[in-house]
Amino acid sequence: MADKTLLTQEGLDELKAELEHLKTVRRKEVSDRLKVAIDFGDLSENSEYDDAKNEQAFIEGRIKKVESLLRNYELISKSEDDKDKINVGSKVRVEDVELEEEEEYRIVGTIEADPMQNRISNESPLGQALLGHVVGDEITVAAPVGDIIYRVISIQNE
C-alpha cells in the first residue's frame, strides 16, 4: 500500500471542496462546451472540440487524483506531549542568523506545500531540519549557496 498523504484539516477541507467543484461545476461546463463544439460540425478539424476533450481529460484525471488522495490520507493531529516542538502543521518563525532576517513558515505535507504562501513541505530540507526542534534551537540547513543557520523564534501549534 502506498504511503499515506499527510494533510492538515485545512488541506483536507480544500481537497474535498475542489473535488465537489470538479464534479458539479467543471464537469458540466466542459460537457456544455463539448455540445457546442459538436454543433460546429466536422470534428476532425474542430479545435474547439479538441480543446474541450483535452480539458475533459484533465478534469477527469484530477478527479481521480483527488479521490485517491482522499482515500489514502492521514490527518495531522496535535499531541499534547509535542505542543512545544515543531511538527507537521506547526507555524514556525525562524531567524536567519547571518542575515538577521525573520521568516514564518507553516510545515505541511507535500501535497499542501506552496512556497509562495510560506507553506513548506515536511520533506523539504528546511522542513525536515525544523521537525522536532523547540524555541531557541539553532539548525543548519544545506543550501546551494552554502549552509544556512536558523534560530527558532516561535512555534504555534494550532
Side-chain angles (χ1 to χ4, degrees), residues 3 10 54-55 71-72 94 142:
D3 291 334
E10 178 185 1
N54 288 337
E55 186 174 0
R71 276 193 304 273
N72 191 32
V94 295

Side-chain angles (χ1 to χ4, degrees), residues 19-30:
L19 182 61
E20 180 68 18
H21 179 76
L22 288 169
K23 285 182 165 183
T24 60
V25 176
R26 297 293 294 136
R27 266 184 177 163
K28 178 158 180 19
E29 289 173 353
V30 172

Side-chain angles (χ1 to χ4, degrees), residues 1 15 19-20 24 38 55 59 70 80 106 108-109 119-120 127 130 134 148-150:
M1 185 167 173
L15 280 176
L19 182 61
E20 180 68 18
T24 60
I38 289 170
E55 186 174 0
I59 289 169
L70 291 174
E80 284 301 311
R106 175 109 187 251
V108 295
R119 297 169 64 90
I120 60 172
L130 287 169
V134 297
I148 300 173
I149 300 171
Y150 292 97

Side-chain angles (χ1 to χ4, degrees), residues 99-139:
L99 299 177
E100 297 181 356
E101 292 179 354
E102 290 185 19
E103 294 192 37
E104 185 172 270
Y105 298 102
R106 175 109 187 251
I107 312 295
V108 295
T110 305
I111 195 75
E112 293 180 71
D114 183 355
M116 299 304 290
Q117 299 296 318
N118 287 355
R119 297 169 64 90
I120 60 172
S121 166
N122 62 314
E123 297 178 12
S124 69
L126 179 57
Q128 282 182 341
L130 287 169
L131 291 176
H133 285 277
V134 297
V135 171
D137 282 357
E138 288 190 359
I139 59 163

Side-chain angles (χ1 to χ4, degrees), residues 13-55:
D13 294 343
E14 287 173 5
L15 280 176
K16 287 180 177 179
E18 178 186 2
L19 182 61
E20 180 68 18
H21 179 76
L22 288 169
K23 285 182 165 183
T24 60
V25 176
R26 297 293 294 136
R27 266 184 177 163
K28 178 158 180 19
E29 289 173 353
V30 172
S31 175
D32 291 345
R33 278 187 61 202
L34 280 168
K35 287 176 188 172
V36 169
I38 289 170
D39 289 342
F40 288 151
D42 186 9
L43 299 181
S44 65
E45 296 181 15
N46 188 332
S47 64
E48 290 293 325
Y49 178 79
D50 291 340
D51 289 345
K53 286 300 282 182
N54 288 337
E55 186 174 0

